[in-house]
Amino acid sequence: MSSLLNAYTSVAGEDVINHLLQLSKPLAGKKVLHVNSTREGGGVAEILHKLVPLMADLGLDVSWEVITGQPDFYKCTKSFHNALQGHRITVGTGLLEVYEKTNRENAERFEDVLREADFVFIHDPQPAALIDSIPNRKGKWIWRCHIDCSRPYRPIWKYLRDYCARYDASIFSLPDFAQRLSHPQYIIAPSIDPLSEKNISLPAGEVNEVFSEFGLDPDLPLLVQVSRFDRFKDPLGVIEAFMQVRRHVPCQLVLAGGGASDDPEGQAVLEEVLTAASGEPDVHVLVLPPDAHRKINALQRAADIVIQKSTREGFGLTVSEAMWKARPVVGGDTGGIRIQVIDHYTGFRVRTPEGAALRIRYLLHHKDKRLEMGKRARRLVRENFLLTRHLREYMALMISLMNGSQDRIDISTS
Ligand code: UDP
């Protein structure tokens, strides 16, 4: 067994790893390609950085390609993202043409691997139209949607559905997000890597360093939200909740984030956040580089409470990350946060700044509850949201697509 797999044994248990090894046998040497639109920033890149090496360790011939485009392409795909998450947005034909052309150009760039792969995982809408340029493809194509599309804006979904419907299968993170499509749909929740720099345990000294490094007060309770600067993450709502809490309990807030190269709205949202935070010495807006994984890890561990007050959320890796560190989470009552934050058990789900403030105040006053919820939160992540479970489900899906409509597949003899 490789040293990487060995390392996972200590966190996930021997049975889990043996199961992965067994599932990997029929997939040995299969060409698997993942395609998304950014190498850094956001949850998809975060997952692929970890999933791809682990698949390779299990003997799959796996690669990862990133499509690129001009600013208008990202403008268009950000509108798709916002529309799938429910905003009524019109995208002009000019931008749609840029989307289609960019996909055609990218398909030409890595046409051979797209055509030859046994399994192609296309992540989110940005590269969804690649399928149009590869008519005689060899493998199974899977559209993997990471977005909360429980209530998509229909005109945009209708446009994208024409592409998605051509795939052999699709994956959504929650049953609520599944759409009317004629191919098999799988529900697979995302995951975090317990061995990554973002999630490994850190020496107390390194955690405490964040106080001096970012000008925080080690004697004041710390609230942290880590997120791209995106309106769906509701950073302004977090500041509003913080102001309400602070009228009653002294505390400080960190909003830590960075950009993703496929997200053109980040700068404008950051400016709104800086304006809302100006003149507030206890609100710390930190713009971190994309590789600041250990810093984010330390901030999440330094926090008394982690907040993720999203108004739409495909999954919310930041929630799992905080829970893995045994922190209670006050999270928006939406999308993937609902399967992680079990209300009153691993944290609290909220809808408004007032609701968030109320729950934060409660937790700040009850250290015993914070610790109790944090312990349960870690257990929930261990059992449901680690990379090993995610990989097991991807491999099971590939085996099932390979075997078509057979209702029983014997993998022990493969
Ligand atoms: N993240 C990061 N730096 C940042 C902001 C976010 O490394 O400045 C990471 C965060 O820790 C998490 C991922 O990016 O692993 C965000 O995933 P999530 O599912 O929470 O949200 P998304 O950005 O995909 O909507």
Side-chain angles (χ1 to χ4, degrees), residues 25 43 76 101 109 113 119 186 188 191 193 241 279 290 296 307 336 360:
K25 278 189 203 152
C76 175
K101 181 164 172 277
R109 229 172 18 101
V113 320
F119 298 97
Y186 295 79
I188 301 183
S191 63
D193 178 5
I296 290 177
I307 305 172
I360 293 167

Side-chain angles (χ1 to χ4, degrees), residues 52-232:
V52 169
L54 197 52
M55 274 189 168
D57 246 53
L58 284 161
L60 285 74
D61 180 2
V62 56
S63 52
W64 172 15
E65 296 287 351
V66 174
I67 60 162
T68 52
Q70 298 300 314
D72 268 356
F73 171 70
Y74 299 110
K75 195 171 159 200
C76 175
T77 57
K78 183 70 188 186
S79 298
F80 285 170
H81 180 99
N82 293 342
L84 289 186
Q85 299 213 126
H87 282 185
R88 297 169 69 84
I89 288 173
T90 311
V91 182
T93 44
L95 280 188
L96 294 179
E97 277 163 18
V98 171
Y99 172 70
E100 291 158 17
K101 181 164 172 277
T102 306
N103 268 272
R104 279 197 302 276
E105 288 166 356
N106 278 280
E108 266 173 40
R109 229 172 18 101
F110 43 93
E111 187 175 345
D112 290 349
V113 320
L114 285 169
R115 181 164 289 124
E116 289 309 313
D118 297 294
F119 298 97
V120 178
F121 287 85
I122 298 288
H123 295 264
D124 283 338
Q126 295 91 327
L130 285 177
I131 196 161
D132 217 26
S133 302
I134 315 289
N136 35 11
R137 38 191 185 273
K138 171 183 159 204
K140 300 287 183 193
W141 281 52
I142 301 124
W143 185 57
R144 200 308 176 216
C145 177
H146 295 266
I147 297 172
D148 175 349
C149 48
S150 47
R151 277 170 294 157
Y153 180 50
R154 302 313 297 183
I156 296 291
W157 169 240
K158 263 175 93 177
Y159 170 82
L160 286 169
R161 192 181 54 194
D162 277 350
Y163 293 111
C164 301
R166 282 180 238 167
Y167 284 70
D168 298 290
S170 49
I171 307 176
F172 294 90
S173 297
L174 258 71
D176 276 1
F177 302 166
Q179 296 295 323
R180 286 165 78 95
L181 289 162
S182 54
H183 57 225
Q185 296 183 49
Y186 295 79
I187 305 301
I188 301 183
S191 63
I192 59 161
D193 178 5
L195 300 180
S196 68
E197 298 273 280
K198 180 74 57 67
N199 295 309
I200 45 166
S201 60
L202 296 177
E206 190 173 343
V207 174
N208 290 332
E209 259 172 33
V210 296
F211 288 98
S212 52
E213 182 172 353
F214 298 121
L216 306 174
D217 181 342
D219 298 321
L220 270 188
L222 175 63
L223 316 177
V224 170
Q225 173 160 306
V226 175
S227 281
R228 286 178 298 109
F229 291 101
D230 180 310
R231 293 194 182 90
F232 286 118

Side-chain angles (χ1 to χ4, degrees), residues 42-43 46 198 226-228 233 257-258 293 296 313 316-318 321:
E46 184 86 16
K198 180 74 57 67
V226 175
S227 281
R228 286 178 298 109
K233 312 285 183 184
H293 302 301
I296 290 177
E313 191 62 76
L317 290 181
T318 50
E321 288 162 6

Side-chain angles (χ1 to χ4, degrees), residues 242-316:
F242 167 77
M243 303 291 199
Q244 292 181 22
V245 173
R246 221 240 336 241
R247 272 187 230 132
H248 305 273
V249 197
C251 57
Q252 57 196 330
L253 170 69
V254 163
L255 286 170
S261 60
D262 61 349
D263 180 358
E265 286 174 6
Q267 191 56 35
V269 178
L270 171 61
E271 276 158 28
E272 289 166 17
V273 170
L274 288 171
T275 306
S278 70
E280 287 299 332
D282 291 327
V283 178
H284 303 262
V285 180
L286 310 180
V287 179
L288 301 175
D291 60 352
H293 302 301
R294 274 184 98 93
K295 281 289 162 241
I296 290 177
N297 185 342
L299 280 165
Q300 289 166 328
R301 288 180 191 280
D304 294 283
I305 300 167
V306 169
I307 305 172
Q308 189 57 59
K309 211 201 112 3
S310 308
T311 54
R312 284 278 191 285
E313 191 62 76
F315 180 67

